[in-house]
Amino acid sequence: MDIKDIQNLVRFVAKAGVSEVKYKNKDFEIYIKTPLGGEPVSYVTPQVAYQAPVSAPAANPVSAPAAASEAASSADDSKYITIKSPMIGTFYRKPSPDKDVFVNVGDAVTEGKVVCVIEAMKLFNQIESEVSGKIVKILVDDASPVEYDQPLFLVDPS
């Protein structure tokens, strides 16, 4: 295990919210303990004073339609089904760098079709669609970290 693997392990343990991890093989042993192990952790939030501007600038007429379109898109999203991450890890749209992506926006998916992989501790887990339909939106960038239950895709079931 090299230093990069150890750093990835430490990051994974911190994100997972685990208090202690012990890893041992024939060559070495590593023990990671986080502050969640019964020791209280205190967070200090700085006190910031805000002052209202003396003269407010004129409202931009473009901001109202933008807010309306955001509200309309969130209302439209409610008719879609969300495929969520079943674990913490790194999201990949391709099975390997030299292969094509599993799905694109507009692609039809069936129940059980692999839509992405999530890498957790050097294990690549295939994530399958739980619904049939059409991919409407991909909510995560390739090679970015994802949390448990984080939305990954929006699927139109119709």
Side-chain angles (χ1 to χ4, degrees):
M1 189 173 231
D2 64 357
I3 190 72
K4 192 162 192 107
D5 291 335
I6 294 171
Q7 289 171 336
N8 286 336
L9 179 61
V10 170
R11 274 190 231 112
F12 179 79
V13 169
K15 283 183 183 178
V18 179
S19 61
E20 296 180 6
V21 171
K22 186 175 185 178
Y23 180 79
K24 183 178 181 179
N25 69 14
K26 63 180 179 176
D27 297 330
F28 71 95
E29 180 177 349
I30 187 168
Y31 179 75
I32 301 170
K33 184 174 181 180
T34 65
L36 299 175
E39 302 171 12
V41 178
S42 62
Y43 297 97
V44 178
T45 23
Q47 295 294 325
V48 179
Y50 293 98
Q51 182 178 359
V54 177
S55 63
N60 187 352
V62 177
S63 64
S69 69
E70 283 181 23
S73 70
S74 67
D76 291 345
D77 290 352
S78 64
K79 67 181 179 180
Y80 301 133
I81 296 173
T82 305
I83 298 175
K84 296 181 180 181
S85 174
M87 64 184 64
I88 296 172
T90 304
F91 171 86
Y92 292 105
R93 294 187 59 202
K94 302 176 182 182
S96 66
D98 58 335
K99 303 282 185 185
D100 291 333
V101 295
F102 288 108
V103 291
N104 283 310
V105 172
D107 288 354
V109 294
T110 56
E111 193 171 328
K113 177 179 167 91
V114 176
V115 292
C116 67
V117 293
I118 296 181
E119 182 244 333
M121 295 190 65
K122 303 294 180 192
L123 294 175
F124 290 84
N125 303 283
Q126 293 184 340
I127 307 305
E128 298 176 351
S129 175
E130 300 125 7
V131 296
S132 296
K134 184 174 81 171
I135 299 289
V136 176
K137 196 174 197 180
I138 300 171
L139 304 169
V140 180
D141 293 328
D142 193 33
S144 60
V146 292
E147 297 292 327
Y148 173 75
D149 218 26
Q150 178 177 343
L152 303 174
F153 299 93
L154 288 181
V155 178
D156 185 0
S158 57

